Amino acid sequence: MILRRALAGEVLLTDENQLRLAFVETDAPAKVYEYAVLVTDTAYDTLAIAQLYRDRMVCVVRKDHPVIREHITLEQFMQHSHARLEVAPHGMSGRVIDEAVARAGGKLHIAMLAQNYGAVLNTVAQSNLFAMVSERMLKSSRNPLALQILEPPLKLPDMRMNLFWHERTHKDPRHRWFRQLITTVAREL
């Protein structure tokens, strides 16, 4: 898990059930994970799930974009090239956008894929590319970039940011404490 800001020291010491917080590297041949924070619409049989928050996508372009001023039409949205955040291959937010564009009879040209939110925003701020990004993440960004934040010209569903964990850890007090910590941090974003 990557946190965008430091946690207050006392947060890690508030529960006697919490023994330690460790990030472990392993050479084990099997996939080893305990938690995943994902935007997804998929349910898994062996995992428990909790919604952390809902969010929506907004369109961003550079402040001095040569064509876009405070509003974007569907035609402009489909004609211009886009930068896209893609943390996981075939990510859900990209798929949802592509499906909405296809329903409107179009297909986006994705000129850049990045796995880093900052890379997408910095590229858009210095180019004529468009990007669809999380409104919540954009508002929590501490990098004041010269961007226009626009309503998307397509109807898109809200994104649900979910936390998944294996059922075997569901009742463990240390895991419950850690899930509560993740939930608390997510509310602050």
Side-chain angles (χ1 to χ4, degrees):
M1 173 189 299
I2 299 171
L3 301 175
R4 294 175 53 102
R5 60 177 88 57
L7 294 174
E10 63 273 6
V11 171
L12 295 176
L13 303 173
T14 57
D15 189 326
E16 65 274 0
N17 291 320
Q18 184 256 328
L19 300 177
R20 63 189 160 130
L21 179 63
F23 296 89
V24 180
E25 292 185 29
T26 180
D27 294 326
K31 291 182 182 178
V32 176
Y33 64 91
E34 292 294 336
Y35 294 91
V37 178
L38 305 168
V39 175
T40 183
D41 57 359
T42 305
Y44 298 94
D45 291 337
T46 60
L47 299 178
I49 181 174
Q51 181 175 300
L52 295 173
Y53 58 84
R54 293 177 78 92
D55 198 1
R56 69 185 199 108
M57 300 292 281
V58 293
C59 185
V60 292
V61 298
R62 77 177 206 219
K63 196 72 115 181
D64 61 346
H65 196 281
V67 177
I68 307 304
R69 296 279 183 260
E70 298 181 14
H71 177 74
I72 184 170
T73 67
L74 182 59
E75 182 180 35
Q76 292 168 325
F77 184 79
M78 289 197 227
Q79 287 178 349
H80 284 81
S81 295
H82 290 247
R84 178 171 286 171
L85 176 67
E86 190 166 282
V87 178
H90 315 293
M92 184 179 162
S93 59
R95 186 180 76 230
V96 168
I97 294 164
D98 291 343
E99 289 170 356
V101 169
R103 282 191 301 274
K107 180 174 169 58
L108 295 182
H109 175 253
I110 306 300
M112 181 195 119
L113 287 174
Q115 293 183 333
N116 178 292
Y117 188 75
V120 170
L121 294 180
N122 282 306
T123 299
V124 168
Q126 299 174 43
S127 71
N128 290 334
L129 295 176
F130 292 14
M132 293 292 292
V133 297
S134 153
E135 181 178 44
R136 185 179 216 138
M137 293 300 288
L138 184 64
K139 287 181 177 179
S140 73
S141 174
R142 295 185 181 181
N143 188 359
L145 295 170
L147 295 169
Q148 296 181 60
I149 303 169
L150 308 166
E151 286 296 318
L154 298 160
K155 182 162 176 50
L156 298 169
D158 282 349
M159 298 182 304
R160 293 179 311 273
M161 185 62 70
N162 298 308
L163 174 65
F164 295 86
W165 62 94
H166 197 280
E167 289 177 352
R168 74 176 174 269
T169 65
H170 188 68
K171 293 182 180 179
D172 183 302
R174 292 169 292 189
H175 285 271
R176 283 198 321 251
W177 172 87
F178 189 61
R179 288 191 299 271
Q180 184 58 47
L181 176 63
I182 292 171
T183 302
T184 300
V185 171
R187 283 189 200 125
E188 294 175 6
L189 293 177

